[in-house]
Amino acid sequence: TVPNKPTVTLQPSWTQIYSGETVTVRCEIQGGEGAQWTYEWRAAKLNTPPTSNEHRIIRATESDSGGYSCRGRRDYFFSEWSDIITLTVSYKPKAKLRADNTAVPVGGSVTLTCSVNPSSSSGWKYYWYRDEKSSEALTTQDAVFHSNGQISVSQEGLYRCRGGRGNPVYYTEDSQSVRIGKTVTASNRPVVTLYPNWSEIYRGETITVRCEIHGGDTEWDYEWETNSRIKAPNQNEYRIRSASSSNSGNYRCKGRMKSSQHKTTEWSDSVTLTVSDNKPRPVLTVSPSWLSPGASVTLNCEVEHPSAGWSFYWYKAVPDLSEKSSSYELLPDGSGTAQDSYIIHGQTHTAGYVCRAGRGDPEYHTDHSQPKFVWSAGQFEEF
């Protein structure tokens, strides 16, 4: 045995090929240049193994799959057998076409991706075609070509692709066709509304952001765009339960016709929602603060954003001398009044009062106000 160990190589160097491709299996002996070698082959389909250093497989079939090894012979001396290289021949592949959208947005483009499975196969170039009868591949005048089998197109039409490799070029089967249409803007423009209609809410409150498209009986799919840290789902309304500052931001929406995905509305105007992490505390004022005989007392409870749906609760502060604190006793008809004022008749003793506000469903309550007192020459009212 001579010391030279041969190596089997493939040209092109693809161990995965497809029926109909051409490949050359070659036996190379390093350091044996110039010597008169004859070759022996062990191979799956070589019923009459060649004695030359290469075996050209033209229009490969699945039966050409298997391991190939070789050794050299010179006079009465033999080299070792080479390591086995395995060739796999599969059915002719079909290219796969994927589109990131099926409608070209106004002023924009759609990205198409062509691929050949398995992804481990290599050496592919991709050829693109528009409309079924066209056999002429697209050029840079028709699309923007990217790496990794991607192009960007802005023209509508029926697109397909295929892969090719080798010399002469071996082509895959064409992909399925994908129709790319133009986005058509519908005349209906959506409106974003808040329910309840409060543009500023507080941590823990509940609010619904709604996309409304008026006119006709069209069924729509919805798309939201927001810069809040929590994204809205693609439905016509987004109910925010127990809101936090992460929900703060601008919200806008558009609709896409269910019956024609190429037809969309314009974007609505943006609506800003602000969620404050600070729980509000109302301010109570009393008038007069000193009693005169027969006078009534008016309490006023003021909350930030007073027109935003508040109801008011009115309490008398009852001192607890043992605890050095006060408890709150609801005043008659003092629960959930729509008015931010409350009138007390017939008060004769010094007394303290407190208010708070609530709104929404489920109801959200502010903190209690600081107590305010109405003074008389006598003592605190006794209970």
Side-chain angles (χ1 to χ4, degrees):
T1 302
V2 296
N4 312 70
K5 183 177 180 178
T7 303
V8 175
T9 61
L10 298 176
Q11 182 62 37
S13 59
W14 308 324
T15 56
Q16 167 77 65
I17 65 171
Y18 298 93
S19 56
E21 285 197 279
T22 296
V23 67
T24 299
V25 187
R26 184 173 291 140
C27 186
E28 297 178 350
I29 301 177
Q30 299 296 326
E33 295 82 357
Q36 296 297 314
W37 296 98
T38 56
Y39 296 85
E40 292 183 30
W41 288 88
R42 289 175 178 167
K45 193 188 171 185
L46 297 181
N47 297 323
T48 56
T51 56
S52 66
N53 73 321
E54 65 179 36
H55 170 51
R56 187 168 173 82
I57 302 172
I58 299 173
R59 291 187 294 279
T61 66
E62 286 186 82
S63 61
D64 292 306
S65 296
Y68 290 79
S69 66
C70 70
R71 72 174 178 177
R73 177 182 178 180
R74 188 177 62 194
D75 298 327
Y76 298 103
F77 299 98
F78 294 88
S79 73
E80 295 181 61
W81 283 99
S82 71
D83 293 332
I84 295 172
I85 191 168
T86 300
L87 179 67
T88 303
V89 184
S90 302
Y91 286 117
K92 188 173 187 176
K94 183 174 184 176
K96 183 178 181 181
L97 174 58
R98 180 169 49 85
D100 69 343
N101 200 340
T102 56
V104 180
V106 177
S109 62
V110 170
T111 298
L112 306 178
T113 303
C114 193
S115 58
V116 177
N117 284 327
S119 56
S120 58
S121 64
S122 59
W124 297 105
K125 293 182 179 179
Y126 296 96
Y127 301 83
W128 297 89
Y129 306 89
R130 183 172 59 239
D131 299 327
E132 284 187 338
K133 296 180 180 179
S134 173
S135 58
E136 189 174 337
L138 300 183
T139 67
T140 52
Q141 294 181 341
D142 307 300
V144 177
F145 286 75
H146 308 289
S147 58
N148 302 323
Q150 290 189 330
I151 64 170
S152 295
V153 298
S154 55
Q155 294 185 44
E156 58 185 328
L158 197 64
Y159 287 84
R160 68 187 194 282
C161 71
R162 63 176 176 170
R165 69 179 186 179
N167 185 19
V169 178
Y170 171 86
Y171 293 103
T172 68
E173 292 185 22
D174 287 2
S175 69
Q176 294 283 354
S177 296
V178 172
R179 181 168 294 283
I180 303 299
K182 286 280 190 182
T183 297
V184 179
T185 303
S187 58
N188 316 58
R189 189 176 189 190
V191 175
V192 174
T193 57
L194 301 176
Y195 183 79
N197 187 25
W198 310 326
S199 59
E200 179 159 1
I201 63 173
Y202 297 93
R203 183 182 186 88
E205 286 199 273
T206 296
I207 194 167
T208 299
V209 186
R210 185 173 293 151
C211 184
E212 297 179 347
I213 303 175
H214 299 288
D217 298 324
T218 304
E219 292 188 344
W220 301 93
D221 290 324
Y222 296 86
E223 183 178 340
W224 287 92
E225 188 174 82
T226 176
N227 58 356
S228 67
R229 294 201 297 274
I230 299 177
K231 302 307 177 187
N234 287 335
Q235 299 168 356
N236 73 311
E237 65 178 38
Y238 173 35
R239 186 166 173 81
I240 302 172
R241 303 175 189 273
S242 192
S244 70
S245 56
S246 297
N247 298 113
S248 293
N250 299 319
Y251 290 80
R252 68 174 187 165
C253 70
K254 71 176 179 179
R256 186 181 300 276
M257 283 188 180
K258 286 189 174 182
S259 60
S260 175
Q261 289 289 302
H262 303 322
K263 196 164 188 178
T264 69
T265 68
E266 297 180 49
W267 285 102
S268 69
D269 290 332
S270 291
V271 167
T272 301
L273 176 65
T274 303
V275 183
S276 172
D277 280 333
N278 300 318
K279 195 169 187 177
R281 167 171 278 185
V283 175
L284 178 66
T285 56
V286 296
S287 179
S289 56
W290 284 93
L291 280 175
S292 56
S296 61
V297 175
T298 300
L299 311 181
N300 285 96
C301 194
E302 183 180 352
V303 187
E304 289 182 279
H305 315 295
S307 62
W310 296 107
S311 297
F312 297 90
Y313 296 80
W314 309 92
Y315 304 88
K316 181 183 289 185
V318 180
D320 186 335
L321 300 179
S322 63
E323 297 291 335
K324 297 182 180 179
S325 63
S326 296
S327 60
Y328 304 132
E329 179 182 284
L330 193 65
L331 291 169
D333 299 321
S335 176
T337 67
Q339 299 296 321
D340 61 358
S341 61
Y342 182 92
I343 298 176
I344 300 170
H345 300 283
Q347 178 179 332
T348 57
H349 294 77
T350 295
Y353 298 97
V354 167
C355 73
R356 71 170 177 169
R359 67 179 184 180
D361 182 18
E363 192 167 29
Y364 169 87
H365 292 102
T366 68
D367 286 336
H368 290 86
S369 69
Q370 292 287 356
K372 285 296 177 70
F373 292 89
V374 178
W375 302 95
S376 74
Q379 300 298 317
F380 280 98
E381 187 170 338
E382 293 179 0
F383 300 90

